[in-house]
Amino acid sequence: MPYDLLTSTDNAIGDAIEREHQLQRRNLMMIASENEASDAVKRAQGTMLTNRNALGYPDSRLYPGSQHIDEIESLAIAYAEELWSAEHVNVQPHSGSLANLAVYLAVLNPGDKILALDPQDGGHITHGSDHHVSGELYDTEFYHLDPESGAIDYRSLEERADRIDPDLIISGYSTYPREIDWQRIQAIANRTNAYHLADIAHLSGLIAAGRFPSPVGIADFCTSSTYKTIRAGRGGMILCDHAYAEAVDNALFPMLQGGATMSNIAGKAIGFAEARTDAFKTYIDQVIANARTLSEALVERGLEIFTGGTDTHIVLIDLRHADEGRSGRDVEHALEKAGIIANRVSLPHTQHATNTDGIRLGTTSITANGLETRHMEHVADFIARAIENVTNDSALETISQEITEFTETAYHPSP
Ligand SMILES: *Cc1c(COP(=O)(O)O)cnc(C)c1O
């Protein structure tokens, strides 16, 4: 009963948190933009630090009594600078979205031009989409994926860059399972004299472990969330060279945010400290091995995988050629009933009216809970059976019970 205190304060909240705990233990949590933070990270987030209003940066706070919070933030920064070989890191963004906005505020003027991947193809909402303030403030043009291979269409990127002369090019994506040629994008940015932001929200853990090419030192700015492949709890960060440090820091505070969330910064510091260990490299290797094995096992069961496989933690089931009644939305619902939590995504050249033709699976959380390569056959079976039985509620209920039993024996949550 880890939530006793909460339940005695407010039954409804305490109970709901307890049920959420059970949900995460009894289902296959496969949302690729989530992960499970360690107990140490969760512990760091629930301390006296939440009492502080940390306005300003270490050694230049607006309030006295800040020596310990300064030390914590300075350590988070030092660990991050070492992990990603960055000259300067700001660990204060409350989220990856605000990290992106701070970069825009640091170097763009309203009306400036952004060139980013089309949200339909897996670009992030904060990359100049209509539904985000970046789309209101800046003039955005989109580049695309090659609809056949699923790879970034570097030619379409180059052609658009030459045509519109952008002020900022954004790389880094939410649903892209393949390697990214950062140098090639940087070369295009150089030709048109544009800044280059690499949004590594999904990739920062893979990069910290040395298992994915790093854009740090290539792109002008890198931004990331801190709770996806890097397991450091909710939040964001910005990485850049010394030359941009002051502009970035000022754009984040005081222009965009108020006081820093010290409890989350302590979580980041602990998560970054964990990422410096060999155990973290082993974890990331297992995440990628699990994704590859899962992808192959799904192909064996007759499913199509977008780009044919993966270099990351992401596996995309391609439903563009699936029957009517098996759109991304239909399949997402069926998987949820079966105890597999994964979200629908859009893919290039949509076929279904619901505009979602893909299911994005991520192996970060299930790997954090101890699943290994040998378990991926079972996971693939559960997924393939749920998709086969998309409208058969009793079959989905059976799978859900099997998954509860499976997690009871196979899950060994890391401390
Ligand atoms: C997850 C993500 C973000 C940040 O999301 P927040 O919820 O704001 O932390 C930013 N960019 C990309 C590409 C992402 O996938």
Side-chain angles (χ1 to χ4, degrees), residues 3 21 24-25 34-46 226-234 263-264 266-277 279-280 283 364-365 367-369 412-415:
Y3 306 113
H21 187 131
Q24 291 188 27
R25 286 285 174 267
E34 294 182 351
N35 202 340
E36 177 149 345
S38 70
D39 282 351
V41 168
K42 287 184 285 239
R43 181 83 184 85
Q45 289 181 335
T226 52
Y227 56 88
K228 296 181 186 174
T229 53
I230 188 82
R231 301 164 61 188
R234 274 299 313 191
S263 46
N264 282 38
K268 291 173 194 178
I270 296 284
F272 297 165
E274 290 171 346
R276 286 147 42 107
T277 63
F280 184 76
Y283 163 74
T364 48
S365 296
T367 307
N369 277 289
H412 300 287
S414 56

Side-chain angles (χ1 to χ4, degrees), residues 177-211:
R178 292 302 193 174
E179 271 195 11
I180 298 168
D181 190 343
W182 307 112
Q183 291 280 10
R184 187 160 178 191
I185 299 173
Q186 183 59 40
I188 297 169
N190 288 344
R191 271 165 59 131
T192 57
N193 232 339
Y195 291 109
H196 176 194
L197 163 63
D199 179 344
I200 55 172
H202 269 272
L203 302 169
S204 46
L206 309 180
I207 292 168
R211 303 301 191 254

